[in-house]
Amino acid sequence: MKVGIIGAGSIAGTMAGTIREMDCAQNYAVAARDYGRAAEFAQTYGFEKAYGSYEELVEDAGVELVYIATPHNMHFDYIRQAVLAGKHVLCEKAITVSSAELEEAAALAEEKGVVVMEAMTIFHMPLYKKLKEIVDSGAIGPVKMISVNFGSCKPY
């Protein structure tokens, strides 16, 4: 799957580094508000294309999935643009700033037949899948509440 990244900050860099190591996805295009920054990011992480506007990336027919790594208040606008262009979306948290925006994004994604998902890594971590399996099996009895702390180490 060809991934286009909107935003060229440190979180986007972490995602681009991860995608570079994957067999099922590839770094294809990146966009930043400044073309020079996008071009540098593209060279660092092995992207084919760099754009100086987010709209150009969304309009690129080669982009299959858009990863959004901009400030929260901008997420909905870019989700909407990507979905209307027929792209799947993976968006950093918080996915939107209101439940109304999220409901609209979900309805639009369903209408267009694409996936819109928040980039919450714990959904896909083997540890959490195993914990869910244990809870669902009933092996530890009825669970009334689960409290979990989540954090990560950042190299900056």
Side-chain angles (χ1 to χ4, degrees):
M1 178 164 289
K2 292 182 178 181
V3 178
I5 295 182
I6 291 179
S10 63
I11 292 173
T14 299
M15 179 60 85
T18 300
I19 293 168
R20 184 173 48 196
E21 302 300 319
M22 297 173 73
D23 293 330
C24 60
Q26 74 178 79
N27 288 331
Y28 174 72
V30 61
R33 289 175 293 180
D34 172 79
Y35 174 77
R37 186 167 183 196
E40 182 180 331
F41 191 97
Q43 184 174 12
T44 299
Y45 295 102
F47 285 79
E48 291 179 34
K49 297 183 177 186
Y51 294 110
S53 81
Y54 303 146
E55 292 75 17
E56 288 178 291
L57 181 138
V58 170
E59 292 170 5
D60 184 324
V63 173
E64 298 171 283
L65 179 142
V66 175
Y67 171 70
I68 301 171
T70 61
H72 302 154
N73 64 324
M74 300 168 73
H75 288 176
F76 179 72
D77 290 339
Y78 300 127
I79 290 170
R80 189 170 196 290
Q81 287 177 32
V83 169
L84 287 173
K87 318 288 187 192
H88 300 289
V89 175
L90 183 60
C91 184
E92 267 309 318
K93 58 194 179 309
I95 191 167
T96 60
V97 296
S98 72
S99 59
E101 285 182 351
L102 182 56
E103 288 171 10
E104 187 176 337
L108 190 58
E110 185 173 342
E111 177 186 318
K112 294 293 185 180
V114 297
V115 173
V116 172
M117 185 173 181
E118 186 173 58
M120 189 62 184
T121 58
I122 63 170
F123 295 141
H124 306 288
M125 289 181 172
L127 170 66
Y128 287 90
K129 288 181 179 183
K130 185 64 176 177
L131 288 173
K132 183 175 180 347
E133 180 184 310
I134 291 168
V135 169
D136 289 348
S137 76
I140 58 175
V143 176
K144 296 183 190 269
M145 183 178 87
I146 297 174
S147 178
V148 178
N149 290 320
F150 175 75
S152 60
C153 296
K154 301 293 180 195
Y156 45 90

PDB file of all heavy atoms in Angstrom, residues 104-117:
ATOM      1  N   GLU A 104     -19.255  12.614  11.625  1.00  0.00           N
ATOM      2  CA  GLU A 104     -19.297  13.000  10.215  1.00  0.00           C
ATOM      3  C   GLU A 104     -18.223  12.273   9.411  1.00  0.00           C
ATOM      4  O   GLU A 104     -18.485  11.801   8.299  1.00  0.00           O
ATOM      5  CB  GLU A 104     -19.135  14.516  10.072  1.00  0.00           C
ATOM      6  CG  GLU A 104     -19.332  14.990   8.653  1.00  0.00           C
ATOM      7  CD  GLU A 104     -19.266  16.511   8.488  1.00  0.00           C
ATOM      8  OE1 GLU A 104     -19.495  17.244   9.470  1.00  0.00           O
ATOM      9  OE2 GLU A 104     -18.977  16.951   7.361  1.00  0.00           O
ATOM     10  N   ALA A 105     -17.026  12.163   9.973  1.00  0.00           N
ATOM     11  CA  ALA A 105     -15.936  11.457   9.288  1.00  0.00           C
ATOM     12  C   ALA A 105     -16.290   9.982   9.092  1.00  0.00           C
ATOM     13  O   ALA A 105     -16.061   9.420   8.011  1.00  0.00           O
ATOM     14  CB  ALA A 105     -14.635  11.592  10.072  1.00  0.00           C
ATOM     15  N   ALA A 106     -16.855   9.364  10.119  1.00  0.00           N
ATOM     16  CA  ALA A 106     -17.228   7.951  10.025  1.00  0.00           C
ATOM     17  C   ALA A 106     -18.314   7.742   8.978  1.00  0.00           C
ATOM     18  O   ALA A 106     -18.251   6.788   8.184  1.00  0.00           O
ATOM     19  CB  ALA A 106     -17.690   7.447  11.387  1.00  0.00           C
ATOM     20  N   ALA A 107     -19.316   8.608   8.946  1.00  0.00           N
ATOM     21  CA  ALA A 107     -20.397   8.494   7.970  1.00  0.00           C
ATOM     22  C   ALA A 107     -19.864   8.676   6.548  1.00  0.00           C
ATOM     23  O   ALA A 107     -20.241   7.937   5.632  1.00  0.00           O
ATOM     24  CB  ALA A 107     -21.488   9.517   8.265  1.00  0.00           C
ATOM     25  N   LEU A 108     -18.977   9.635   6.374  1.00  0.00           N
ATOM     26  CA  LEU A 108     -18.403   9.891   5.061  1.00  0.00           C
ATOM     27  C   LEU A 108     -17.538   8.708   4.610  1.00  0.00           C
ATOM     28  O   LEU A 108     -17.596   8.293   3.448  1.00  0.00           O
ATOM     29  CB  LEU A 108     -17.585  11.183   5.091  1.00  0.00           C
ATOM     30  CG  LEU A 108     -17.109  11.743   3.769  1.00  0.00           C
ATOM     31  CD1 LEU A 108     -18.270  12.011   2.827  1.00  0.00           C
ATOM     32  CD2 LEU A 108     -16.332  13.039   4.009  1.00  0.00           C
ATOM     33  N   ALA A 109     -16.766   8.141   5.536  1.00  0.00           N
ATOM     34  CA  ALA A 109     -15.930   6.984   5.210  1.00  0.00           C
ATOM     35  C   ALA A 109     -16.789   5.788   4.801  1.00  0.00           C
ATOM     36  O   ALA A 109     -16.470   5.088   3.833  1.00  0.00           O
ATOM     37  CB  ALA A 109     -15.051   6.615   6.401  1.00  0.00           C
ATOM     38  N   GLU A 110     -17.878   5.581   5.515  1.00  0.00           N
ATOM     39  CA  GLU A 110     -18.780   4.483   5.166  1.00  0.00           C
ATOM     40  C   GLU A 110     -19.382   4.709   3.773  1.00  0.00           C
ATOM     41  O   GLU A 110     -19.434   3.792   2.951  1.00  0.00           O
ATOM     42  CB  GLU A 110     -19.889   4.357   6.203  1.00  0.00           C
ATOM     43  CG  GLU A 110     -20.779   3.162   5.957  1.00  0.00           C
ATOM     44  CD  GLU A 110     -21.784   2.927   7.062  1.00  0.00           C
ATOM     45  OE1 GLU A 110     -21.618   3.449   8.176  1.00  0.00           O
ATOM     46  OE2 GLU A 110     -22.758   2.190   6.780  1.00  0.00           O
ATOM     47  N   GLU A 111     -19.780   5.933   3.506  1.00  0.00           N
ATOM     48  CA  GLU A 111     -20.359   6.283   2.212  1.00  0.00           C
ATOM     49  C   GLU A 111     -19.366   6.042   1.075  1.00  0.00           C
ATOM     50  O   GLU A 111     -19.722   5.546   0.005  1.00  0.00           O
ATOM     51  CB  GLU A 111     -20.786   7.754   2.225  1.00  0.00           C
ATOM     52  CG  GLU A 111     -21.346   8.271   0.929  1.00  0.00           C
ATOM     53  CD  GLU A 111     -21.615   9.770   0.969  1.00  0.00           C
ATOM     54  OE1 GLU A 111     -22.129  10.256   1.992  1.00  0.00           O
ATOM     55  OE2 GLU A 111     -21.287  10.455  -0.020  1.00  0.00           O
ATOM     56  N   LYS A 112     -18.101   6.375   1.307  1.00  0.00           N
ATOM     57  CA  LYS A 112     -17.072   6.256   0.269  1.00  0.00           C
ATOM     58  C   LYS A 112     -16.394   4.881   0.251  1.00  0.00           C
ATOM     59  O   LYS A 112     -15.571   4.602  -0.624  1.00  0.00           O
ATOM     60  CB  LYS A 112     -16.006   7.343   0.453  1.00  0.00           C
ATOM     61  CG  LYS A 112     -16.544   8.751   0.224  1.00  0.00           C
ATOM     62  CD  LYS A 112     -16.934   8.942  -1.213  1.00  0.00           C
ATOM     63  CE  LYS A 112     -17.357  10.364  -1.502  1.00  0.00           C
ATOM     64  NZ  LYS A 112     -17.733  10.547  -2.894  1.00  0.00           N
ATOM     65  N   GLY A 113     -16.679   4.032   1.234  1.00  0.00           N
ATOM     66  CA  GLY A 113     -16.104   2.692   1.273  1.00  0.00           C
ATOM     67  C   GLY A 113     -14.632   2.653   1.624  1.00  0.00           C
ATOM     68  O   GLY A 113     -13.890   1.808   1.130  1.00  0.00           O
ATOM     69  N   VAL A 114     -14.199   3.589   2.487  1.00  0.00           N
ATOM     70  CA  VAL A 114     -12.803   3.611   2.927  1.00  0.00           C
ATOM     71  C   VAL A 114     -12.745   3.492   4.455  1.00  0.00           C
ATOM     72  O   VAL A 114     -13.750   3.665   5.138  1.00  0.00           O
ATOM     73  CB  VAL A 114     -12.067   4.893   2.476  1.00  0.00           C
ATOM     74  CG1 VAL A 114     -12.005   4.961   0.951  1.00  0.00           C
ATOM     75  CG2 VAL A 114     -12.714   6.139   3.044  1.00  0.00           C
ATOM     76  N   VAL A 115     -11.578   3.204   4.947  1.00  0.00           N
ATOM     77  CA  VAL A 115     -11.356   3.072   6.385  1.00  0.00           C
ATOM     78  C   VAL A 115     -10.770   4.371   6.918  1.00  0.00           C
ATOM     79  O   VAL A 115      -9.831   4.921   6.338  1.00  0.00           O
ATOM     80  CB  VAL A 115     -10.380   1.906   6.686  1.00  0.00           C
ATOM     81  CG1 VAL A 115     -10.003   1.860   8.158  1.00  0.00           C
ATOM     82  CG2 VAL A 115     -10.977   0.584   6.230  1.00  0.00           C
ATOM     83  N   VAL A 116     -11.329   4.855   8.020  1.00  0.00           N
ATOM     84  CA  VAL A 116     -10.760   5.973   8.772  1.00  0.00           C
ATOM     85  C   VAL A 116     -10.507   5.449  10.176  1.00  0.00           C
ATOM     86  O   VAL A 116     -11.416   4.938  10.819  1.00  0.00           O
ATOM     87  CB  VAL A 116     -11.711   7.189   8.815  1.00  0.00           C
ATOM     88  CG1 VAL A 116     -11.177   8.252   9.777  1.00  0.00           C
ATOM     89  CG2 VAL A 116     -11.890   7.780   7.431  1.00  0.00           C
ATOM     90  N   MET A 117      -9.257   5.562  10.637  1.00  0.00           N
ATOM     91  CA  MET A 117      -8.897   4.996  11.937  1.00  0.00           C
ATOM     92  C   MET A 117      -7.928   5.900  12.662  1.00  0.00           C
ATOM     93  O   MET A 117      -7.050   6.509  12.053  1.00  0.00           O
ATOM     94  CB  MET A 117      -8.271   3.623  11.732  1.00  0.00           C
ATOM     95  CG  MET A 117      -7.958   2.895  12.996  1.00  0.00           C
ATOM     96  SD  MET A 117      -7.421   1.219  12.620  1.00  0.00           S
ATOM     97  CE  MET A 117      -7.156   0.612  14.253  1.00  0.00           C
TER      98      MET A 117
END
